Amino acid sequence: MKITNYRLYQVPPRWLFLKIETDEGIVGWGEPVIEGRAATVKAAVEELMEYLIGKDPQRIEDHWNLMYRSGFYRGGPILMSAIAGIDQALWDIKGKFYNAPIHQLLGGACRDSIKVYSWIGGDRPADVGAAAKEVVDRGFQAVKMNGTEELQYVDSHQKIDQVVERFAVVREAVGPYIGIGIDFHGRVHKPMAKILAKELEQFRPMFIEEPVLPENNEALRDIANHVTTPIATGERMFSRWQFKTVLTEDYVDIIQPDLSHAGGITECKKIISMAEAFDVAVAPHCPLGPIALAACLQVDATSHNAFIQEQSLGIHYNVGSDLLDYISDKDVFKYEEGFVKIPNGPGLGIEVNESHVQKMTEDAEHWRNPVWRHQDGSIAEW
């Protein structure tokens, strides 16, 4: 079997899909994208695919090493996202060739389903109590919300109080035992992160996410020694080499690699196995499309330390198109009592509705990250 061609589809709301074709008629799908940089990742995919045309798609490990190591300059969000989408598509082909789900080729499943959480609120969260109650009434056992708006390095306690008030409203709305993840989104710097983490501890969050930027991961040690709340990070870390330090230095309790950003199925399976050796849990990052979610679920199936999965249905970014719009069988991601079953179809376990993908490509716009500024005019972390 040989790779003969590929196609890239940029679709709303902010996704990039890759289809790899073979001479045996088997095709594979991947989702190589960085939110807000789809065109840049697309160019990287086009460069990397030059290596693979005419090659056997089943030599996944070799292809991964070629794409990663042979460029001399390696790593980072763009190149690793391009590799990730290609890797997903190659695994999809392999699974279809053997008529087996990917998790069967990774050693078999250790679970039949996994808990999922639903996003509530937006970038500037409001009415989160009512939103959380509505989501829980639909059966979800966990939610996640943005905690803060922009914060200066040292900011007012008024903003801290506003965050605490929002979280308290959600906790009151859903009761004492629903999981609530609170995402600091890297908007908080070390001086305020310690204060905020301590103030929120009383409400027993499921985790606090990215309390500081990943460039400042060493600050997680101070926060970890300051509170008992589990600390999560990893959506902006792109290889096992970046995760190595946070694991060996015992900074985190939960890692969140993104299977469309961190080298795909091949790399994330290795990262997750590394974390298991440190008794660290995994909650893969996935505010993206159905191909990315399917890839996550295939790896979740084989990972003992995966405990919950992010998914984007109804997320505030999905304006105009949503998670289920691009797949033929929407029941494959049917959520029941806060869990989703692991797809058991060949490859990724989903069928992409290519005619709808092609149609939506015509309407795709370049989604851009918001630009936030502080009151003094300086750029704020979004």
Side-chain angles (χ1 to χ4, degrees):
M1 184 163 51
K2 305 294 183 186
I3 296 170
T4 56
N5 199 10
Y6 69 94
R7 301 176 189 272
L8 285 155
Y9 299 103
Q10 190 169 339
V11 297
R14 54 179 190 165
W15 303 333
L16 182 67
F17 295 164
L18 166 68
K19 175 189 174 186
I20 294 180
E21 302 171 352
T22 69
D23 61 354
E24 295 195 13
I26 300 174
V27 304
W29 288 88
E31 194 167 333
V33 69
I34 278 286
E35 300 91 306
R37 297 291 183 267
T40 313
V41 178
K42 183 179 179 181
V45 171
E46 290 170 346
E47 290 186 328
L48 291 172
M49 285 302 300
E50 293 176 5
Y51 290 101
L52 301 188
I53 298 296
K55 301 293 177 60
D56 177 1
Q58 298 206 63
R59 291 176 58 86
I60 297 174
E61 189 72 30
D62 184 60
H63 296 326
W64 197 97
N65 279 292
L66 181 149
M67 291 186 290
Y68 180 80
R69 299 179 189 278
S70 294
F72 188 75
Y73 297 102
R74 58 187 66 170
I78 302 303
L79 290 174
M80 294 304 283
S81 296
I83 291 173
I86 295 170
D87 181 82
Q88 293 167 5
L90 295 178
W91 276 106
D92 194 26
I93 290 168
K94 196 178 189 81
K96 290 171 180 174
F97 180 84
Y98 288 102
N99 194 32
I102 292 167
H103 66 255
Q104 201 77 301
L105 306 180
L106 294 174
C110 66
R111 59 169 50 84
D112 302 315
S113 62
I114 190 166
K115 186 185 288 188
V116 290
Y117 64 77
S118 179
W119 265 91
I120 57 171
D123 279 331
R124 298 183 182 275
D127 300 323
V128 283
K133 181 67 164 58
E134 189 271 331
V135 164
V136 171
D137 287 345
R138 285 194 279 122
F140 286 93
Q141 299 178 31
V143 300
K144 190 170 85 171
M145 58 186 281
N146 277 315
T148 75
E149 298 184 357
E150 57 269 65
L151 282 176
Q152 275 283 11
Y153 284 80
V154 176
D155 215 316
S156 72
H157 279 271
Q158 180 182 9
K159 288 189 178 180
I160 297 291
D161 290 344
Q162 290 170 348
V163 176
V164 172
E165 182 179 335
R166 277 196 295 270
F167 198 93
V169 167
V170 174
R171 175 54 77 203
E172 183 178 359
V174 302
Y177 303 123
I178 294 295
I180 308 172
I182 184 162
D183 190 354
F184 288 17
H185 219 252
R187 297 170 183 169
V188 187
H189 297 275
K190 180 180 176 181
M192 304 303 292
K194 290 189 294 184
I195 298 170
L196 192 50
K198 192 67 174 177
E199 292 280 349
L200 291 170
E201 188 175 23
Q202 62 184 304
F203 302 107
R204 298 192 294 185
M206 178 171 61
F207 55 75
I208 53 174
E209 180 175 337
E210 268 197 343
V212 295
L213 290 164
E215 299 95 302
N216 302 321
N217 271 341
E218 66 279 357
L220 296 177
R221 182 191 289 109
D222 288 344
I223 299 170
N225 290 333
H226 197 56
V227 297
T228 59
T229 305
I231 295 172
T233 195
E235 71 184 66
R236 287 188 275 187
M237 299 165 63
F238 309 109
S239 73
R240 73 199 89 149
W241 294 280
Q242 283 185 290
F243 280 93
K244 178 171 64 173
T245 302
V246 296
L247 293 172
T248 56
E249 296 293 328
D250 197 22
Y251 292 162
V252 297
D253 306 291
I254 302 161
I255 61 165
Q256 300 170 302
D258 189 309
L259 272 83
S260 280
H261 300 340
I265 290 168
T266 298
E267 182 70 355
C268 285
K269 177 60 178 172
K270 295 174 182 179
I271 292 167
I272 291 169
S273 295
M274 285 171 55
E276 185 180 359
F278 291 88
D279 208 22
V280 168
V282 176
H285 181 256
C286 189
L288 296 170
I291 302 168
L293 178 58
C296 288
L297 294 176
Q298 293 297 330
V299 174
D300 290 334
T302 70
S303 303
H304 188 264
N305 50 335
F307 81 102
I308 200 165
Q309 176 60 57
E310 181 174 23
Q311 54 82 38
S312 74
L313 187 64
I315 197 171
H316 48 287
Y317 303 118
N318 291 0
V319 178
S321 288
D322 212 329
L323 177 67
L324 303 179
D325 294 347
Y326 294 102
I327 55 176
S328 299
D329 179 8
K330 303 183 190 318
D331 285 339
V332 73
F333 295 140
K334 187 177 180 180
Y335 305 138
E336 295 181 347
E337 298 181 353
F339 283 73
V340 64
K341 290 183 178 178
I342 305 298
N344 277 310
L348 289 168
I350 61 171
E351 182 181 344
V352 175
N353 184 342
E354 189 172 4
S355 63
H356 184 70
V357 170
Q358 291 172 338
K359 177 184 175 183
M360 297 306 290
T361 300
E362 301 168 4
D363 301 324
E365 297 180 359
H366 289 288
W367 184 87
R368 292 177 176 83
N369 302 73
V371 176
W372 286 7
R373 291 183 182 272
H374 294 294
Q375 188 175 357
D376 63 6
S378 61
I379 289 290
E381 300 289 347
W382 168 72

